[in-house]
Amino acid sequence: MSPAVKYTLGRLGIFAVVFAATLPVPLVENIFVKAMVALLISAVLSFFLLRTWREQMNEQLAGVVEKRRAEKERLRSALAGEEDQPRP
């Protein structure tokens, strides 16, 4: 499974657990406020709990960016005529 998918599902899972835990708390009656509190708490928890998955996702994205940069440079040099053309 892709690191980005794992990280995203982990974030959603942590949010769902925290949101479910805030439902019976009678401090705030509004469900949207509970969702916002759950969002903030889950963001902090995922920062610490999902560090390895986040690093894996960053490495994957850095690889994709590097491939795109190399392909872009290759295309620019080909369009500029700097690339070695095979001679007939």
Side-chain angles (χ1 to χ4, degrees), residues 34-55:
K34 288 182 181 185
M36 293 303 293
V37 169
L39 183 66
L40 290 173
I41 293 171
S42 67
V44 171
L45 287 175
S46 67
F47 181 75
F48 295 107
L49 297 176
L50 302 178
R51 185 182 70 193
T52 56
W53 288 354
R54 186 176 59 251
E55 289 172 356

Side-chain angles (χ1 to χ4, degrees), residues 15 18-19 22-39:
F15 171 75
V18 172
F19 182 68
T22 60
L23 285 177
V25 176
L27 280 173
V28 179
E29 296 298 323
N30 192 347
I31 195 162
F32 295 113
V33 174
K34 288 182 181 185
M36 293 303 293
V37 169
L39 183 66

Side-chain angles (χ1 to χ4, degrees), residues 1-14 46-61:
M1 184 182 306
S2 168
V5 172
K6 285 193 306 189
Y7 180 70
T8 303
L9 290 176
R11 290 282 310 257
L12 288 173
I14 290 173
S46 67
F47 181 75
F48 295 107
L49 297 176
L50 302 178
R51 185 182 70 193
T52 56
W53 288 354
R54 186 176 59 251
E55 289 172 356
Q56 290 173 357
M57 182 180 69
N58 287 339
E59 290 172 6
Q60 179 192 28
L61 292 176

